[in-house]
């Protein structure tokens, strides 16, 4: 593995990859706790993938993504999804200018590097479809014209796991397009005390700009040069196939628990995220631990469990953990 990566690539990874650690530390000056979430957001930026963030209100979801945008010198827009939202409210629309007698394009909030889609499951199907084109194609169609979105482009979508009244379940095709589904939880009592102290003081910490769009794209290029051994690629495929046909992988107990397994996009994203995880560790090669580190966030939303699993209280997280425990590591 070590021989496959040149010394020049290794040196570049260690020097440029350090910027990601500096960015995480810088954001930590404003955001108390939530280091794991910040790291996943930065990984998604480098991997060119979107993030579905599940957490209760008040956990600093918006603040986290704003801080990432500020330290990475990126443009940021927030869209509050509601049942009366229209596709034009997201992507933009054509507006008639009476002075010129022509239609002009007014671009919507999706034209930014970082887009926070707050409570994404509150908008109807037409809005989801418009956002889906932006997520998958990195482009938007307004009228008869197609417009490319800025790079890097990341959609951070949030949803409340408890309150489901008045929501629209996300289509599986859309959920599958998220690189990560990250569950955001409460911090420690000490962290909450610090949050109170900072809130009462009213002092807003100014963040230094460490990364920029070009730097992120350069890191993306470096991640593509990280070595992935054939046996690790086979390991990734085994993990994904175990979600589709558990019985053939010695996991007969999972057969009644899995309704639909993970798609080929899961295999692609496991490798892509593992590469970025290695980069953040300063390595020019992927290890099995890299795949394990990101496996839960990549797979949890791509498996549909059965009613039997729900009745037994078995979550998709439990299923993914069992698969990782039982598939042999190369």
């Amino acid at each position: 593995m070590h021989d496959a990566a040149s010394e020049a690539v290794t040196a570049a990874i260690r020097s440029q990859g350090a910027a990601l650690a500096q960015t995480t530390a810088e954001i930590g000056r404003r955001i108390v706790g939530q280091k794991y979430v910040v790291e996943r957001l930065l990984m998604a930026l480098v991997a060119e993938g979107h993030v579905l963030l599940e957490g209760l209100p008040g956990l600093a979801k918006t603040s986290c993504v704003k801080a990432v945008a500020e330290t990475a010198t990126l443009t940021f827009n927030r869209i509050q999804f509601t049942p009366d939202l229209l596709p034009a409210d997201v992507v933009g629309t054509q507006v008639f200018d009476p002075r010129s007698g022509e239609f002009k394009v007014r671009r919507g909030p999706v034209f930014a590097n970082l887009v926070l889609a707050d409570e994404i499951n509150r908008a109807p199907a037409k809005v989801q479809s418009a956002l889906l084109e932006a997520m998958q194609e990195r482009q938007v169609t307004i009228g008869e014209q197609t417009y490319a979105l800025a790079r890097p482009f990341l959609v951070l979508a949030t949803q409340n796991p408890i309150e489901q009244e008045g929501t629209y379940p996300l289509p599986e095709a859309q959920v599958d397009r998220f690189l990560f589904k990250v569950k955001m939880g409460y911090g420690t009592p000490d962290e909450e005390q610090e949050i109170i102290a900072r809130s009462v003081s009213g002092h807003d910490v100014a963040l230094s700009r460490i990364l920029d769009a070009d730097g992120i794209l350069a890191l993306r290029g470096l991640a593509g040069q990280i070595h992935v051994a054939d046996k690790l690629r086979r390991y990734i495929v085994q993990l994904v196939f175990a979600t589709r046909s558990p019985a053939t992988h010695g996991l007969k107990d999972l057969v009644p628990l899995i309704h639909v397994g993970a798609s080929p996009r899961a295999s692609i994203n496991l490798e892509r995220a593992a590469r970025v995880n290695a980069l953040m560790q300063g390595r020019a090669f992927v290890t099995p631990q890299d795949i394990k580190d990101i496996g839960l966030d990549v797979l949890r939303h791509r498996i549909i469990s059965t009613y039997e699993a729900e009745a037994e209280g078995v979550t998709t997280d439990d299923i993914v953990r069992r698969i990782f425990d039982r598939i042999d590591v190369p």
Side-chain angles (χ1 to χ4, degrees):
M1 274 188 193
H2 299 71
D3 297 336
S6 68
E7 290 182 13
V9 173
T10 305
I13 284 169
R14 285 180 180 160
S15 63
Q16 294 185 45
L20 291 171
Q22 289 174 342
T23 303
T24 305
E26 184 67 16
I27 291 169
R29 293 177 55 238
R30 178 184 293 174
I31 306 295
V32 180
Q34 306 300 357
K35 182 182 176 184
Y36 180 85
V37 175
V38 170
E39 285 180 345
R40 285 296 183 263
L41 290 178
L42 292 172
M43 286 178 75
L45 262 181
V46 176
E48 201 168 15
H50 309 291
V51 180
L52 182 59
L53 196 55
E54 192 173 88
L56 295 166
L59 295 178
K61 295 186 287 290
T62 305
S63 299
C64 275
V65 74
K66 272 187 178 176
V68 169
E70 196 174 321
T71 54
T73 327
L74 299 173
T75 55
F76 167 75
N77 279 330
R78 176 180 175 272
I79 308 169
Q80 180 63 54
F81 277 51
T82 54
D84 60 348
L85 201 69
L86 298 172
D89 298 326
V90 175
V91 301
T93 187
Q94 291 179 314
V95 179
F96 183 72
D97 185 350
R99 285 175 294 182
S100 64
E102 295 178 347
F103 281 95
K104 291 186 177 178
V105 170
R106 180 177 292 168
R107 297 189 176 196
V110 80
F111 285 88
N113 295 120
L114 286 180
V115 177
L116 178 64
D118 230 345
E119 294 190 283
I120 190 172
N121 53 341
R122 292 204 173 274
K126 279 187 176 180
V127 178
Q128 305 292 358
S129 179
L131 185 65
L132 186 60
E133 181 193 6
M135 289 171 61
Q136 182 61 26
E137 308 297 335
R138 296 321 198 260
Q139 66 181 30
V140 163
T141 303
I142 303 174
E144 297 178 357
Q145 193 71 33
T146 299
Y147 301 88
L149 294 169
R151 291 187 69 197
F153 173 69
L154 170 70
V155 171
L156 172 71
T158 69
Q159 62 179 14
N160 184 333
I162 304 298
E163 192 180 1
Q164 296 303 322
E165 191 175 335
T167 63
Y168 300 80
L170 295 181
E172 293 305 324
Q174 184 167 3
V175 172
D176 196 36
R177 280 167 172 82
F178 286 98
L179 172 68
F180 294 136
K181 179 179 178 180
V182 179
K183 291 190 174 181
M184 199 168 182
Y186 295 115
T188 63
D190 288 343
E191 287 171 347
E192 193 141 338
Q193 279 183 243
E194 178 64 21
I195 290 168
I196 295 169
R198 290 192 189 187
S199 177
V200 171
S201 73
H203 178 63
D204 192 27
V205 178
L207 299 178
S208 302
R209 296 181 174 185
I210 296 168
L211 281 168
D212 58 19
D214 290 339
I216 291 165
L217 295 176
L219 285 167
R220 192 171 292 169
L222 274 178
Q225 297 178 55
I226 287 176
H227 178 66
V228 181
D230 287 342
K231 62 182 180 181
L232 286 183
R233 202 162 275 157
R234 281 195 296 273
Y235 177 53
I236 287 171
V237 171
Q238 275 187 307
L239 290 167
V240 174
F241 266 72
T243 69
R244 300 174 196 165
S245 50
T248 59
H249 290 80
L251 294 157
K252 285 184 180 178
D253 56 313
L254 294 184
V255 173
L257 304 178
I258 299 175
H259 178 55
V260 179
S263 74
R265 204 175 269 120
S267 304
I268 295 166
N269 286 332
L270 276 171
E271 179 173 322
R272 187 184 294 172
R275 285 172 181 267
V276 180
N277 198 67
L279 186 148
M280 291 180 82
Q281 309 293 328
R283 278 186 278 103
F285 56 92
V286 169
T287 68
Q289 191 58 47
D290 289 317
I291 298 164
K292 287 186 171 186
D293 285 347
I294 51 85
L296 195 57
D297 292 330
V298 172
L299 291 174
R300 63 159 56 101
H301 55 298
R302 303 178 197 276
I303 297 170
I304 303 174
S305 57
T306 60
Y307 289 116
E308 189 173 331
E310 289 182 36
E312 292 180 15
V314 177
T315 65
T316 53
D317 283 23
D318 297 328
I319 291 168
V320 173
R321 288 191 186 100
R322 284 196 212 176
I323 289 170
F324 270 98
D325 287 343
R326 308 262 282 278
I327 298 294
D328 291 334
V329 177

